[in-house]
Amino acid sequence: MIWQLDIVILTLVIICGIGAITVKDLLGAAILFGAYSFMMCLLWSIMGAVDVAFTEASVGAGVSTVVFVAAVFRTSRRSKD
Amino acid sequence: MEDVISFVISKYNYWCYIVLLMIGLYAMIVKNNLVKKIIGMNIFQTAIILFYVSISVKKEGTLPTIIIDPVTGTHTARAADYINPLPHVLMLTAIVVSVATLGIALALAIKIYKEYDTLEEDEIFAQIRKK
């Protein structure tokens, strides 16, 4: 495990997480959540959990984002907070 | 005092996981929009999965695969060299469960939107009280 890379990606994960819950546009929040999931996948491949990283990249960053975007298109895109 | 500071800094990853957990919890409790609440729930779940995976990390550890020596044809497997794979397998299940909960939560949110024509929690409560 390379700790410099670990720290950089951990900060990116936290920034993406905060961004995903503060952005007022729900489509932007969904895309930021996809970025969050992908950063999480990188973090797991750094830790040596490649099986978990594979699953997260396909299921978390792929399917979740698509499902979120589909749900946002079927409902409203605006959010008050 | 220096011991305490070095202890805190050396466990930096756990502090980051706590921050992520608190972000998810905050979004689930405070945010008014249902989609934001679902995003918060997912952040909470991934933070817990991250914690479990980070338990299994070992310094100088490799993946649990058997390496066959090309010269002698024998293979050596020393368990002390390997990263603990048990938390990985457990968390694989947890990721699949989190996607299932995400799908159901979004389906319920779409149903609620069709019924009340809004995703904001306070407006939904106001409409329920009016009925």
Side-chain angles (χ1 to χ4, degrees):
Chain A
M1 199 167 92
I2 310 161
W3 65 271
Q4 293 95 334
L5 207 59
D6 195 44
I7 288 177
V8 169
I9 293 180
L10 262 176
T11 41
L12 278 177
V13 160
I14 291 175
I15 289 168
C16 283
I18 293 173
I21 64 164
T22 45
V23 169
K24 283 202 164 57
D25 184 14
L26 284 183
L27 201 60
I31 299 301
L32 270 171
F33 183 71
Y36 168 89
S37 292
F38 190 72
M39 293 297 161
M40 205 61 113
C41 147
L42 289 181
L43 210 52
W44 284 327
S45 52
I46 290 171
M47 285 178 183
V50 274
D51 45 354
V52 187
F54 269 127
T55 318
E56 176 71 12
S58 63
V59 161
V63 177
S64 294
T65 314
V66 171
V67 169
F68 258 118
V69 170
V72 169
F73 273 130
R74 277 177 158 263
T75 58
S76 78
R77 199 175 150 177
R78 283 189 311 279
S79 158
K80 276 198 296 190
D81 49 357
Chain B
M1 190 60 200
E2 272 186 18
D3 285 357
V4 175
I5 292 172
S6 67
F7 177 77
V8 167
I9 291 174
S10 66
K11 299 274 188 294
Y12 69 93
N13 51 345
Y14 292 128
W15 299 112
C16 291
Y17 306 157
I18 291 170
V19 168
L20 278 175
L21 278 175
M22 288 306 119
I23 289 170
L25 202 62
Y26 170 82
M28 271 190 337
I29 294 172
V30 177
K31 290 289 169 180
N32 208 14
N33 193 290
L34 289 179
V35 175
K36 284 282 172 67
K37 276 179 192 283
I38 295 168
I39 288 178
M41 184 183 78
N42 254 281
I43 290 176
F44 196 85
Q45 282 171 334
T46 43
I48 293 170
I49 296 170
L50 196 55
F51 170 67
Y52 267 86
V53 170
S54 82
I55 292 174
S56 70
V57 172
K58 217 180 256 181
K59 257 187 190 160
E60 310 288 319
T62 59
L63 299 180
T65 50
I66 292 177
I67 301 163
I68 296 176
D69 195 342
V71 182
T72 58
T74 56
H75 50 77
T76 51
R78 284 177 52 225
D81 289 343
Y82 293 152
I83 297 169
N84 184 10
L86 184 65
H88 299 181
V89 180
L90 291 173
M91 290 310 113
L92 220 56
T93 330
I95 289 174
V96 176
V97 170
S98 81
V99 172
T101 51
L102 171 73
I104 290 183
L106 282 174
L108 285 176
I110 292 173
K111 272 281 184 199
I112 289 171
Y113 184 79
K114 279 185 180 151
E115 183 80 23
Y116 295 101
D117 211 38
T118 178
L119 276 179
E120 306 291 330
E121 203 183 41
D122 51 348
E123 292 174 13
I124 292 168
F125 284 154
Q127 286 189 34
I128 289 173
R129 270 189 222 100
K130 234 184 274 172
K131 275 179 186 173

